[in-house]
Amino acid sequence: MFIHTDIVVRDLDLESFNDVLYVCSIGKAMRSDYIKGAESKREWFEEITKICGSVCKVAYLDDKPVAQITFYPYHLDPLYRGLNGKALVIHCIYCPFKNAQRKGISKLLVNLIVNEAKKQGYEFVIANAFDTGEFLPMPKFYEKIGFKKMRDLDDHYYLSISSKEPRMEASSYKEDSSARNKAIIFYSRVCHVFYPFSIAIRNGIKKILPNYEIELIDYWEHPELFLRKGKNWLIVNDVPIKTWFQDKEDFEKEVLEASKRKWLS
């Protein structure tokens, strides 16, 4: 436990697991897909804490959970395969409550992770700075506290603890017949909203290609397939789809174009 003025930070455990869901679910209706995502995240959390201890810290204000940071060693996540050094990965940080903002809580949480990384001999702290569209954009937040943009990985920032810069080997895409005439959606159980996002993507594809076979695959459970597909999140007819599904017009165009590709063998 860490106490700073009126903020208390605790390592998450199974007994307090619902606290992280409370932080991350504010304003979200707990539909069946969110509930399944939450159950999957709890399973992931239980599995990973047996390997490396707690991978989440929760900040409390007036005894209420108001912010969280999720982190883990890079080698557990296939996305970081090919990194040139040891990294502690910040998967996400979230502080959605207005009464807890502008108090330095997020910076405090990141500093605690940086200190842990130093103690454990990591060379970098790498942050997944995907933007939720809420509050201060993640890239601006990380830049503000001294992180730099990674050259080889989209939406990622780093803080070097050594003299090295993190670099990632280029991913190569390998075509194979097993991915043709179907869609593959890769997701993970790290965040409970990834499963609902995957369901939304699946539903979007069904509207475009009603009779298409669609698979949802946890890429932590099937890392080799994820790596063969160049670490792309969505494959249609063995073609990587780059457009985000919420950009409906461009997404539909790209999915249709991929579905029409003809294979010679």
Side-chain angles (χ1 to χ4, degrees):
M1 183 170 66
F2 179 88
I3 301 175
H4 178 73
T5 61
D6 54 347
I7 307 299
V8 176
V9 178
R10 299 188 181 98
D11 288 331
L12 189 74
D13 56 25
L14 284 173
E15 188 175 339
S16 60
F17 181 78
N18 284 343
D19 288 352
V20 73
L21 296 181
Y22 176 79
V23 171
C24 295
S25 299
I26 180 174
K28 298 181 177 68
M30 290 304 285
R31 306 185 308 259
S32 59
D33 52 349
Y34 274 93
I35 292 171
K36 182 169 181 178
E39 292 170 349
S40 296
K41 180 180 174 71
R42 183 183 179 91
E43 292 171 359
W44 171 84
F45 180 81
E46 186 172 7
E47 291 167 9
I48 201 168
T49 51
K50 290 177 182 177
I51 298 172
C52 56
S54 183
V55 290
C56 182
K57 295 181 183 293
V58 177
Y60 297 81
L61 178 64
D62 298 327
D63 292 326
K64 294 181 180 179
V66 293
Q68 69 87 23
I69 189 166
T70 299
F71 59 98
Y72 47 76
Y74 77 106
H75 67 273
L76 298 175
D77 189 336
L79 179 64
Y80 303 103
R81 193 80 58 89
L83 189 66
N84 68 334
K86 293 175 59 181
L88 196 57
V89 174
I90 297 175
H91 173 74
C92 64
I93 184 167
Y94 198 47
C95 181
F97 299 93
K98 288 186 178 180
N99 68 315
Q101 293 170 359
R102 300 186 182 278
K103 291 180 178 289
I105 295 176
S106 294
K107 182 178 179 180
L108 170 65
L109 290 172
V110 171
N111 286 340
L112 289 173
I113 302 309
V114 171
N115 289 338
E116 285 201 15
K118 289 177 179 178
K119 290 177 184 177
Q120 296 177 34
Y122 286 99
E123 296 171 276
F124 328 107
V125 175
I126 291 177
N128 188 344
F130 64 90
D131 195 7
T132 64
E134 306 169 275
F135 323 119
L136 180 68
M138 283 289 97
K140 288 186 178 181
F141 166 73
Y142 282 112
E143 288 172 354
K144 190 176 180 180
I145 60 174
F147 280 62
K148 297 178 181 178
K149 186 175 177 59
M150 283 187 68
R151 286 195 272 174
D152 307 317
L153 201 55
D154 291 343
D155 299 324
H156 280 71
Y157 283 71
Y158 75 93
L159 187 70
S160 181
I161 298 172
S162 62
S163 58
K164 292 170 62 176
E165 176 187 357
R167 300 301 305 269
M168 185 76 72
E169 292 178 5
S171 300
S172 58
Y173 189 93
K174 294 180 174 61
E175 297 175 349
D176 64 83
S177 59
S178 66
R180 296 173 191 173
N181 301 309
K182 67 192 295 186
I184 299 174
I185 302 167
F186 290 105
Y187 75 101
S188 81
R189 296 176 294 160
V190 178
C191 176
H192 74 288
V193 302
F194 284 174
Y195 182 75
F197 272 153
S198 298
I199 295 298
I201 294 169
R202 185 189 68 183
N203 293 341
I205 294 172
K206 279 185 175 181
K207 289 181 180 178
I208 303 166
L209 304 168
N211 299 316
Y212 228 60
E213 179 185 351
I214 304 171
E215 278 190 83
L216 271 62
I217 295 178
D218 179 350
Y219 79 90
W220 280 54
E221 297 293 323
H222 301 275
E224 296 310 318
L225 178 58
F226 181 63
L227 295 172
R228 284 206 312 272
K229 296 307 171 187
K231 301 179 181 178
N232 288 283
W233 303 104
L234 174 59
I235 311 296
V236 173
N237 195 23
D238 212 9
V239 177
I241 303 299
K242 302 296 187 179
T243 305
W244 183 234
F245 80 101
Q246 290 175 326
D247 299 330
K248 293 183 179 180
E249 187 175 335
D250 290 339
F251 180 75
E252 180 175 350
K253 182 179 179 181
E254 189 174 1
V255 167
L256 278 172
E257 192 66 29
S259 70
K260 294 174 183 176
R261 181 172 179 178
K262 303 297 182 183
W263 296 97
L264 297 177
S265 60

